[in-house]
Amino acid sequence: MASLRGTAATARLIHSASRARLSLYSAFSPLAPHIFKDQKRSSVSTAAAASDPAQLKSAREDIKELLKSKSCHPILVRLGWHDSGTYNKNIEEWPRRGGANGSLRFDIELKHAANAGLVNALNLIKPIKDKYSGVTFADLFQLASATAIEEAGGPKIPMKYGRVDVSAPAECPEEGRLPAAGPPKPADHLREVFYRMGLNDREIVALSGAHTLGRSRPERSGWGKPETKYTKNGPGAPGGQSWTAKWLKFDNSYFKDIKERKDDDLLVLPTDAALFEDPSFKVYAEKYAEDQEAFFKDYAEAHAKLSNLGAKFDPQEGIVLDDVAGEKFTAANYSSGKRELSEAMKQKIQAEYKAIRGSPDKPLQPSYFLNIMIAIAVLAFLTSLPGN
């Protein structure tokens, strides 16, 4: 009878151990349901992500300090845009398709006419890149751009990170993919450029609203006055012509000023004027001039979309630093209820789970070898007890 009781106890322990192990794997399901969705079942590399989440967060804080000290919001926005704005939706191959891949760091692309002056932006963020080697150029450019918008009073951008960098100048896109300021047919030109990226009229107009920040310098672009009453004293390097009076504040004043055109010291490019001349563009431009909240909503979505164009992400689902990009990544109860797991640990858990081919909707099958080992261990324990 004692032997039968021991056998039954052993069976129960084996069954419980197997269930517990399966429950452990299944417990990863609520971590990030969106992460595994539609992924193919294949061996997953456990290589490190393109950027380190902790370093991304620290770099963001350094960018905020840079913005406070240098008032460089406009040029950092432009840096991110010009890296991602080379994307061509008709080309599938990465990185030949262009987009947010860090190629703008190479001289051959920096020398494109549309990128005049962006070497200054690179020089500003170089110390941050040197400090955080675990952050790719592609991510740093987009992080700087989004942070600049937010710190200037704009909306929170639902960003994700993990962009992979190109490795050589030969992988830079050819010149001519970015929009020009004064084409013969401004509306047609805007559509030609932005439709190639996969953007629509609403997104074109919303993104144009970022001209509420910054100035145009004639020595760089050939457009604008050398200085105005709004720019002659800075902040930052004086000069240039701004689109708005408060050109370091992100709001909807760009649309109001373009519509009214009451101040000769404010810049209106042909592509700006087209927003109120083209019937389709005008619908959105009028809306944004009246409703800043609507502008902020559409702008945040369009900026996030632009920042992802052409990018190759590692991990494939990207890295979310905040709770505004897709579903919230919520760690299961692995922190004993006292504190939340660190971002680094969350990433490690995801990588390890994916490496063993885990999936939220289909837990791993039990390992019979492990079950045998458990059974042997349990039997050894039972036989060591007095009376067995």
Side-chain angles (χ1 to χ4, degrees), residues 32 132 186 236 271 298 339 372 384:
Y132 301 107
T271 46
D298 289 351
R339 61 181 182 180
I372 292 170
S384 68

Side-chain angles (χ1 to χ4, degrees), residues 45-375:
S45 171
T46 57
S51 289
D52 177 76
Q55 289 197 26
L56 280 164
K57 286 189 172 183
S58 296
R60 180 168 59 184
E61 296 308 307
D62 285 11
I63 291 169
K64 290 178 181 179
E65 292 303 314
L66 176 66
L67 292 166
K68 290 177 183 177
S69 63
K70 299 295 185 181
S71 300
C72 54
H73 304 66
I75 199 168
L76 293 189
V77 173
R78 184 169 166 238
L79 178 67
W81 279 34
H82 282 217
D83 194 47
S84 61
T86 60
Y87 174 63
N88 186 338
K89 69 177 183 179
N90 301 311
I91 301 174
E92 293 185 6
E93 180 187 351
W94 184 93
R96 198 168 65 86
R97 65 195 182 204
N101 57 29
S103 63
L104 189 49
R105 73 187 189 273
F106 293 115
D107 286 344
I108 188 172
E109 188 171 344
L110 271 177
K111 291 178 180 177
H112 292 178
N115 294 327
L118 282 179
V119 64
N120 298 320
L122 278 177
N123 290 336
L124 284 169
I125 65 169
K126 185 180 184 300
I128 299 176
K129 181 65 179 77
D130 292 343
K131 183 177 178 180
Y132 301 107
S133 60
V135 175
T136 62
F137 281 97
D139 270 351
L140 186 60
F141 294 166
Q142 300 308 323
L143 177 66
S145 182
T147 303
I149 293 291
E150 294 166 7
E151 291 298 294
K156 184 72 175 177
I157 312 297
M159 298 290 290
K160 67 176 182 177
Y161 299 94
R163 296 168 187 80
V164 176
D165 279 342
V166 296
S167 57
E171 296 175 310
C172 291
E174 73 279 3
E175 188 168 5
R177 293 194 185 187
L178 294 170
K185 297 180 178 180
D188 290 347
H189 175 71
L190 287 173
R191 288 194 174 94
E192 179 184 356
V193 172
F194 285 93
Y195 282 12
R196 186 207 69 223
M197 300 183 206
L199 301 173
N200 58 35
D201 286 0
R202 174 177 58 81
E203 291 162 335
I204 292 172
V205 179
L207 289 171
S208 297
H211 277 156
T212 192
L213 298 178
R215 303 162 284 178
S216 177
R217 295 181 179 274
E219 68 273 18
R220 297 178 184 172
S221 67
W223 293 89
K225 298 178 180 180
E227 69 175 30
T228 69
K229 60 178 177 285
Y230 302 116
T231 66
K232 63 181 180 180
N233 296 318
Q241 186 176 11
S242 60
W243 285 265
T244 62
K246 296 180 179 180
W247 48 271
L248 286 177
K249 180 182 180 182
F250 193 95
D251 56 21
N252 68 335
S253 59
Y254 165 81
F255 296 104
K256 295 178 179 179
D257 292 337
I258 298 297
K259 181 179 180 179
E260 296 174 356
R261 300 199 201 186
K262 292 180 178 180
D263 192 334
D264 290 338
D265 268 350
L266 297 181
L267 180 63
V268 181
L269 297 172
T271 46
D272 299 318
L275 301 183
F276 282 93
E277 294 169 355
D278 179 87
S280 177
F281 288 161
K282 186 177 180 179
V283 171
Y284 301 107
E286 293 276 7
K287 177 183 179 181
Y288 299 152
E290 297 297 325
D291 189 344
Q292 180 169 285
E293 184 177 348
F295 166 52
F296 274 26
K297 177 180 179 297
D298 289 351
Y299 178 85
E301 293 175 359
H303 184 123
K305 182 176 179 178
L306 177 65
S307 77
N308 294 337
L309 294 180
K312 180 168 71 173
F313 287 91
D314 180 16
Q316 187 176 355
E317 69 277 0
I319 300 168
V320 177
L321 301 183
D322 304 298
D323 297 338
V324 293
E327 296 183 61
K328 180 180 179 181
F329 177 85
T330 304
N333 298 323
Y334 294 99
S335 59
S336 71
K338 293 182 179 180
R339 61 181 182 180
E340 180 74 359
L341 289 175
S342 68
E343 289 297 324
M345 182 58 72
K346 292 175 184 177
Q347 294 293 328
K348 187 173 185 295
I349 290 172
Q350 292 179 56
E352 290 178 351
Y353 187 51
K354 290 161 63 179
I356 55 176
R357 304 184 184 184
S359 169
D361 58 355
K362 189 174 181 181
L364 298 179
Q365 295 300 312
S367 167
Y368 294 103
F369 176 76
L370 183 56
N371 284 343
I372 292 170
M373 295 301 294
I374 293 172

